Amino acid sequence: ALYKGLDSWDEVVGRIRGLHADTLRKLSSKCEDRFMAGQKDHLRFGMDSWSDFRLVTGKPCCEAGDAVYYTASYAKDPATSYAIKICRSKVKGTQQQFFHSLAVRQSLPLHFNIQQDCGHFLADVPGRLLPWEEEEEEEEEEGLKDKESDEAKPTDSKENVKEEEASSSGLSCGSLRSRVVVITREVPFQTVADFVHDGVSRHTLNPELYERQVCLLLLQLCSGLEHMKPFQVTHCDLRLENLLLVHSPPPTGQDPLDSTCPARLIISNFSQAKQKSSLMVDPGTLKDQSRLAPEIITATQYRKCDEFQTGILIYEMLHRPNPFEEHPELKEREYTWADLPPLPVRSLYSQGLQRLARLLLTVNPTERIRMSDARACLQCLLWGPREDLFTALGCSTAGVLSGASHCEATLQNWLDLKRTLMMIKFAERSMDLGCGVGLEDWLCCQYLAFASTESLSRVVHILQQP
Amino acid sequence: ALYKGLDSWDEVVGRIRGLHADTLRKLSSKCEDRFMAGQKDHLRFGMDSWSDFRLVTGKPCCEAGDAVYYTASYAKDPATSYAIKICRSKVKGTQQQFFHSLAVRQSLPLHFNIQQDCGHFLADVPGRLLPWEEEEEEEEEEGLKDKESDEAKPTDSKENVKEEEASSSGLSCGSLRSRVVVITREVPFQTVADFVHDGVSRHTLNPELYERQVCLLLLQLCSGLEHMKPFQVTHCDLRLENLLLVHSPPPTGQDPLDSTCPARLIISNFSQAKQKSSLMVDPGTLKDQSRLAPEIITATQYRKCDEFQTGILIYEMLHRPNPFEEHPELKEREYTWADLPPLPVRSLYSQGLQRLARLLLTVNPTERIRMSDARACLQCLLWGPREDLFTALGCSTAGVLSGASHCEATLQNWLDLKRTLMMIKFAERSMDLGCGVGLEDWLCCQYLAFASTESLSRVVHILQQP
């Protein structure tokens, strides 16, 4: 059947086009299996497993906004690394909020860019693993003697019970404190905040690479957030320090910052997350109004909050302050794109990121770009088609939008060629020793596998808006 | 530059076609690097390395026509396996002939299907490693007491010298005999004679698989012999027991006989090989006239001798006797194809192999098919285009030959589609764990990388001859 119609060139070309698209979809799904290997196994560690975990070092591997992470090994599966996430929250109320956030997260099916919970419980944690608490306690002692310090110490009776249980865990020396502990398979090595902080000089020295890395991280962020949409979950607290970076694939000696795709991005800290059913609950607990979309304040409307916060993150990742922190007066009025501070043009990506930031920060939520379109814009910025292709071909915005057949044919040709090149890349990877296919290959494969002339012309149109 | 002309479909299709062909050529050469890994390093072991070799077991790994092979390890490179080839020849004259054959072989550049010599020398070998000699000696003692038995025992003085040298080699126990020893990197696990012998019931139970394996072995044989043509080397002693099988890639637990490509074929035993410069030398020493092409006897013309012997091998590999052994009278006259015994049709490949055998056994050497065409016929039998494609399309032999544009277009379409499928195969292999690309993938890739509509129509024409 495959060889039927071999005398018709049109049919053969159509067949080859179909094979390429099908194969890229298959490869994309195989990549998912590889990059998420093991993660799809259902793991659920309980308190009873706590004593089987050992810290690999006494130093945290990552200090995030809501927790500190330690690399750990599990006695019953020593080949796999785990991360032990020790939550910073001390107040019992916050712990409750934490369990709420876990519940929200657990309502989401697995996604490559959303933190997976392999078990969580209240555990007794030695004080030395909670270095920030000592700092805070000192601060408290210095300035806030009147605040109740009772919270920091669990009751003695409880501690004794746990101490016995934990005595063989290697996690038991020193004074014990009861904390929410989460086990995850993904061991973060830094947060995006660290990445941005460490990237100041790289941004200056090699803006092309740094801003491409930013695009790849934003793409992962958007695709994680897009995944949450059908479940009506909104994160509501997208900050650099709540986004973790994990080596993927595991480090091979090469500095991840030298490759264009620096790492896998994991969205963490769902403590402020909203699910539609709970949308009306207590918006007053949301702190830091400078990070909230205006419509939250006026209409308790979270639907496009994550889009807005992603817009702010574009500024911050490009080493610019949050425009609404810098100009708090903006939110008081119907600001326009012209009111938003410009991003300096440093690379091929700057203008596209500027455009995207504006689309994400549009004051009216109904006009604000959707997460799926933002994701598509980032794919287009990363892998094309580039604007110059269209201008060179005299393929105007209007033409693209009206679906002029000339432009559509060009887009189809572009897609065919890109798919061929992607196939070649994978084919050549088969001859590489070691794990040849990288995270960026997968992300690009995903794009090309599911793109169509319609989706491409839509994005080209969005990015060409004046 | 890659994106220039994206508005022209024809140009894009041409570009994709070019990319596929280029990539397959690149992949084919990468495969060569992988499958011949290490072999391109120039290794030359001398007598001084002899003591660094250790046999892995005391049992031969393969008993070939001219030698017995033992798996060995080399103290300075314990990770690599080597084969120690101990030549059967005892007579000093034969040893000289052996060194002549080594010289012929060394004039050939490396090829995947030609035995590589990593060093050869006269070494003292314990008698227990020469089991056939004991048998022969017994036979001699029984029947041929009058024949001089002096040859079998090297002089004492010589033996003593070598004994000291070899005393630490693990190869020194028992009585020592001086033999030509060759070190090779390819460790054979059987000869094609063993393969054919063991294959009788497989040929009956699964003729499709067995005969496909035969095609793959013959293809490798032809491509090794084709490689010798520009150097005017003729093997002149192509027999099942001179063709070795080597695991490639190294065994992974799967029985090589279950995969379509059973193993890598290695042409060995160049003791009868002729190089043009020495063509006139002593044809009387060639034994076993039933294996010689008629023109050798009449015109001392070796040019197409290997083609003829390959034809005989087709019969033997399909479990039929050598037609000229069965009917010695054939060579006495100008036999035609009709005089050659028919091969039973057992599979998709039988008829093609029958046709090829006839073409190879053509009485007149100038009409006999060339090795390069025989190789191309085997590729066509293995991977197409199949005859039914052409008959289905009403693409007659005459049409193919006259290069009718309709047929040429069909062949181009077939090639485009096959190349796409091959690319996909490689791309998917990139996601396999372990060594994904197999020997058959490489052989097919070679075919598709270098095929053209001209070469395809030529072969289709040859195979369609009445």
Side-chain angles (χ1 to χ4, degrees):
Chain A
L2 198 59
Y3 298 108
K4 232 182 75 186
L6 262 190
D7 45 347
S8 156
W9 193 46
D10 286 19
E11 208 164 313
V12 170
V13 170
R15 205 88 60 79
I16 292 179
R17 179 178 292 159
L19 283 169
H20 278 172
D22 290 351
T23 307
L24 288 180
R25 265 172 235 137
K26 221 155 92 185
L27 288 172
S28 172
S29 121
K30 281 193 181 186
C31 281
E32 179 171 320
D33 290 346
R34 174 182 286 190
F35 282 97
M36 294 180 72
Q39 223 178 316
K40 291 181 176 177
D41 309 341
H42 187 76
L43 290 173
R44 177 92 15 242
F45 296 109
M47 188 59 221
D48 52 326
S49 314
W50 181 229
S51 58
D52 291 323
F53 281 95
R54 292 267 176 295
L55 300 192
V56 172
T57 67
K59 264 192 178 171
C61 57
C62 176
E63 303 193 28
D66 60 332
V68 167
Y69 291 84
Y70 290 91
T71 310
S73 67
Y74 177 55
K76 291 173 185 167
D77 176 18
T80 310
S81 279
Y82 291 86
I84 291 183
K85 172 180 183 176
I86 304 177
C87 296
R88 290 184 188 271
S89 40
K90 296 185 291 182
V91 193
K92 284 202 179 78
T94 328
Q95 285 185 355
Q96 205 166 1
Q97 192 183 28
F98 190 83
F99 284 110
H100 149 77
S101 82
L102 286 173
V104 170
R105 187 151 32 112
Q106 276 165 36
S107 71
L108 294 170
L110 265 186
H111 188 275
F112 185 68
N113 300 112
I114 296 178
Q115 187 166 67
Q116 194 193 351
D117 177 355
C118 302
H120 54 264
F121 35 81
L122 267 175
D124 292 309
V125 177
R128 66 183 163 87
L129 299 182
L130 312 164
W132 68 91
E133 294 194 359
E134 277 161 33
E135 285 163 31
E136 281 166 24
E137 274 164 23
E138 277 166 33
E139 275 169 36
E140 274 169 29
E141 272 165 33
E142 279 167 29
L144 303 150
K145 291 255 185 193
D146 51 334
K147 219 192 148 196
E148 53 167 339
S149 63
D150 177 59
E151 288 162 9
K153 294 178 199 155
T155 60
D156 277 341
S157 65
K158 197 177 175 188
E159 196 169 36
N160 286 345
V161 173
K162 300 284 169 186
E163 197 161 21
E164 260 180 299
E165 236 172 274
S167 62
S168 62
S169 75
L171 287 159
S172 60
C173 53
S175 69
L176 294 177
R177 295 158 193 230
S178 182
R179 291 292 171 272
V180 174
V181 165
V182 183
I183 311 289
T184 80
R185 292 196 58 140
E186 290 68 53
V187 181
F189 66 95
Q190 62 178 199
T191 65
V192 175
D194 301 323
F195 172 82
V196 169
H197 180 260
D198 299 349
V200 175
S201 68
R202 286 195 309 116
H203 195 182
T204 308
L205 294 171
N206 195 347
E208 216 70 46
L209 177 64
Y210 179 80
E211 297 198 351
R212 188 175 176 85
Q213 292 179 332
V214 166
C215 288
L216 283 160
L217 294 177
L218 285 168
L219 170 62
Q220 295 183 72
L221 171 65
C222 289
S223 90
L225 295 172
E226 187 184 354
H227 176 76
M228 291 154 48
K229 291 287 173 190
F231 308 95
Q232 305 189 304
V233 171
T234 314
H235 187 280
C236 288
D237 198 21
L238 296 175
R239 302 165 175 274
L240 297 175
E241 60 270 30
N242 287 335
L243 304 174
L244 311 178
L245 296 184
V246 174
H247 293 296
S248 180
T252 54
Q254 194 206 9
D255 184 345
L257 296 180
D258 293 341
S259 88
T260 44
C261 196
R264 168 179 179 181
L265 179 139
I266 302 256
I267 304 169
S268 175
N269 190 7
F270 282 69
S271 59
Q272 306 296 319
K274 301 281 169 260
Q275 207 156 9
K276 201 181 182 180
S277 58
S278 64
L279 271 187
M280 295 305 150
V281 172
D282 200 11
T285 60
L286 297 172
K287 293 170 281 182
D288 198 352
Q289 296 236 342
S290 74
R291 303 193 74 82
L292 293 180
E295 72 275 18
I296 293 185
I297 303 160
T298 53
T300 339
Q301 233 286 22
Y302 293 93
R303 206 169 45 85
K304 289 224 182 141
C305 172
D306 285 351
E307 281 82 349
F308 187 86
Q309 295 192 336
T310 303
I312 296 176
L313 287 174
I314 293 181
Y315 274 86
E316 292 176 332
M317 290 174 81
L318 295 177
H319 298 114
R320 309 298 296 178
N322 169 357
F324 302 94
E325 208 160 60
E326 206 182 7
H327 307 285
E329 74 284 3
L330 276 180
K331 275 197 197 165
E332 307 300 317
R333 56 185 169 95
E334 287 276 301
Y335 63 87
T336 67
W337 289 357
D339 296 323
L340 295 169
L343 285 166
V345 178
R346 293 202 186 178
S347 81
L348 218 54
Y349 308 98
S350 310
Q351 277 187 307
L353 287 171
Q354 169 77 81
R355 205 164 285 150
L356 183 58
R358 287 175 177 170
L359 292 164
L360 288 165
L361 294 173
T362 300
V363 67
N364 185 342
T366 56
E367 287 163 22
R368 192 174 301 153
I369 192 175
R370 288 157 188 277
M371 196 55 83
S372 54
D373 286 335
R375 183 259 305 151
C377 286
L378 287 161
Q379 291 174 320
C380 182
L381 281 179
L382 282 160
W383 298 296
R386 290 262 172 77
E387 242 179 285
D388 54 352
L389 171 68
F390 295 93
T391 47
L393 293 171
C395 202
S396 71
T397 304
V400 170
L401 195 60
S402 67
S405 69
H406 169 73
C407 281
E408 204 181 304
T410 302
L411 282 174
Q412 182 65 58
N413 289 340
W414 177 86
L415 190 55
D416 286 344
L417 199 56
K418 281 295 252 188
R419 283 178 170 163
T420 304
L421 293 170
M422 193 73 220
M423 289 288 305
I424 290 177
K425 201 170 209 174
F426 270 92
E428 292 185 336
R429 290 280 190 272
S430 70
M431 301 308 297
D432 291 348
L433 299 168
C435 60
V437 176
L439 181 50
E440 185 170 346
D441 295 327
W442 176 28
L443 296 175
C444 182
C445 179
Q446 264 177 341
Y447 176 41
L448 296 174
F450 298 98
S452 63
T453 52
E454 295 72 39
S455 70
L456 290 178
S457 60
R458 196 181 142 78
V459 174
V460 167
H461 172 63
I462 292 175
L463 282 173
Q464 284 191 341
Q465 277 174 21
Chain B
L2 199 59
Y3 298 107
K4 230 181 79 187
L6 262 191
D7 45 347
S8 155
W9 194 44
D10 287 19
E11 209 165 314
V12 170
V13 170
R15 204 89 61 78
I16 291 178
R17 178 178 293 159
L19 283 169
H20 278 172
D22 290 350
T23 306
L24 288 179
R25 266 173 234 136
K26 222 155 93 184
L27 288 172
S28 171
S29 120
K30 280 192 181 187
C31 281
E32 180 171 320
D33 291 345
R34 174 183 287 190
F35 282 97
M36 295 180 73
Q39 222 178 317
K40 290 183 175 175
D41 308 342
H42 187 76
L43 289 174
R44 178 89 18 242
F45 296 109
M47 188 57 220
D48 51 327
S49 314
W50 184 227
S51 58
D52 290 324
F53 281 95
R54 294 266 176 294
L55 299 191
V56 172
T57 69
K59 265 195 177 169
C61 57
C62 176
E63 303 193 29
D66 61 331
V68 167
Y69 291 83
Y70 289 90
T71 311
S73 66
Y74 177 54
K76 291 174 185 164
D77 176 19
T80 310
S81 280
Y82 290 88
I84 291 183
K85 172 180 184 175
I86 304 176
C87 296
R88 291 183 188 273
S89 41
K90 298 183 290 183
V91 195
K92 285 205 179 74
T94 327
Q95 284 186 355
Q96 206 164 1
Q97 193 185 28
F98 190 84
F99 283 111
H100 149 78
S101 83
L102 286 174
V104 169
R105 187 152 32 111
Q106 275 164 36
S107 71
L108 294 170
L110 265 186
H111 187 275
F112 184 68
N113 300 113
I114 297 177
Q115 187 167 66
Q116 194 194 354
D117 177 355
C118 302
H120 54 264
F121 37 80
L122 268 174
D124 293 309
V125 177
R128 65 182 163 88
L129 297 183
L130 311 165
W132 67 90
E133 294 196 359
E134 277 161 34
E135 285 163 30
E136 281 166 26
E137 274 163 26
E138 277 167 32
E139 276 170 36
E140 275 168 30
E141 274 164 35
E142 280 167 28
L144 304 152
K145 289 257 187 198
D146 50 336
K147 220 194 146 194
E148 53 168 341
S149 62
D150 177 60
E151 289 163 6
K153 296 178 198 153
T155 59
D156 276 343
S157 63
K158 198 177 175 188
E159 199 169 37
N160 286 344
V161 173
K162 300 284 169 184
E163 198 163 18
E164 263 181 296
E165 237 171 272
S167 61
S168 63
S169 76
L171 286 161
S172 60
C173 53
S175 70
L176 294 178
R177 295 160 193 226
S178 183
R179 290 291 172 272
V180 175
V181 164
V182 183
I183 311 289
T184 79
R185 290 196 60 141
E186 289 69 52
V187 182
F189 67 95
Q190 63 177 197
T191 65
V192 176
D194 302 323
F195 171 82
V196 170
H197 180 261
D198 299 349
V200 175
S201 68
R202 284 197 307 118
H203 194 181
T204 308
L205 294 172
N206 196 348
E208 216 71 44
L209 176 65
Y210 179 80
E211 298 199 351
R212 189 177 174 85
Q213 292 179 333
V214 166
C215 288
L216 283 161
L217 293 177
L218 285 168
L219 171 63
Q220 294 183 71
L221 172 65
C222 290
S223 92
L225 295 171
E226 186 184 355
H227 176 76
M228 290 154 49
K229 292 287 174 191
F231 307 97
Q232 304 188 308
V233 172
T234 315
H235 186 279
C236 288
D237 198 20
L238 297 175
R239 300 164 175 278
L240 297 174
E241 60 270 31
N242 288 335
L243 304 175
L244 311 177
L245 296 184
V246 175
H247 293 296
S248 181
T252 51
Q254 195 206 12
D255 185 345
L257 296 181
D258 292 341
S259 88
T260 44
C261 196
R264 168 179 178 181
L265 179 140
I266 301 256
I267 304 169
S268 175
N269 189 8
F270 282 69
S271 60
Q272 306 295 320
K274 302 280 170 261
Q275 206 155 9
K276 202 183 181 178
S277 56
S278 64
L279 271 188
M280 296 303 151
V281 173
D282 201 12
T285 59
L286 298 172
K287 294 170 283 182
D288 197 355
Q289 296 237 341
S290 75
R291 302 193 74 81
L292 293 181
E295 70 277 10
I296 293 186
I297 304 158
T298 53
T300 340
Q301 234 283 25
Y302 294 92
R303 205 168 45 86
K304 289 224 182 139
C305 173
D306 285 351
E307 281 83 349
F308 187 85
Q309 296 192 336
T310 302
I312 296 174
L313 288 173
I314 293 180
Y315 274 85
E316 294 177 330
M317 290 173 82
L318 295 177
H319 299 112
R320 309 299 297 178
N322 170 357
F324 302 95
E325 211 160 57
E326 206 182 9
H327 307 286
E329 73 285 0
L330 276 181
K331 274 198 196 165
E332 306 301 316
R333 56 185 170 96
E334 287 276 300
Y335 63 88
T336 65
W337 288 358
D339 298 321
L340 295 170
L343 286 165
V345 178
R346 294 201 185 179
S347 82
L348 218 57
Y349 308 99
S350 311
Q351 276 188 307
L353 287 170
Q354 170 77 82
R355 204 164 284 151
L356 182 59
R358 287 175 176 167
L359 293 164
L360 288 165
L361 293 173
T362 301
V363 68
N364 185 342
T366 56
E367 287 163 19
R368 192 174 301 153
I369 193 175
R370 291 157 187 277
M371 196 54 83
S372 54
D373 286 336
R375 183 258 305 150
C377 285
L378 288 161
Q379 290 173 321
C380 182
L381 281 179
L382 282 161
W383 298 295
R386 291 262 171 80
E387 245 178 281
D388 54 350
L389 171 67
F390 296 94
T391 46
L393 294 171
C395 200
S396 71
T397 305
V400 170
L401 194 62
S402 67
S405 67
H406 169 73
C407 282
E408 204 182 302
T410 303
L411 283 174
Q412 182 65 59
N413 288 340
W414 177 87
L415 191 56
D416 286 344
L417 199 56
K418 281 295 252 187
R419 283 179 169 163
T420 304
L421 293 170
M422 192 73 220
M423 288 289 304
I424 289 177
K425 201 170 209 174
F426 270 93
E428 292 185 337
R429 290 280 189 272
S430 69
M431 299 309 296
D432 290 349
L433 296 169
C435 60
V437 176
L439 181 50
E440 184 171 345
D441 295 328
W442 177 29
L443 296 174
C444 181
C445 178
Q446 263 177 343
Y447 175 42
L448 296 175
F450 297 101
S452 64
T453 53
E454 294 74 38
S455 70
L456 291 177
S457 59
R458 197 182 142 77
V459 175
V460 168
H461 173 64
I462 293 175
L463 283 173
Q464 285 192 337
Q465 276 175 21

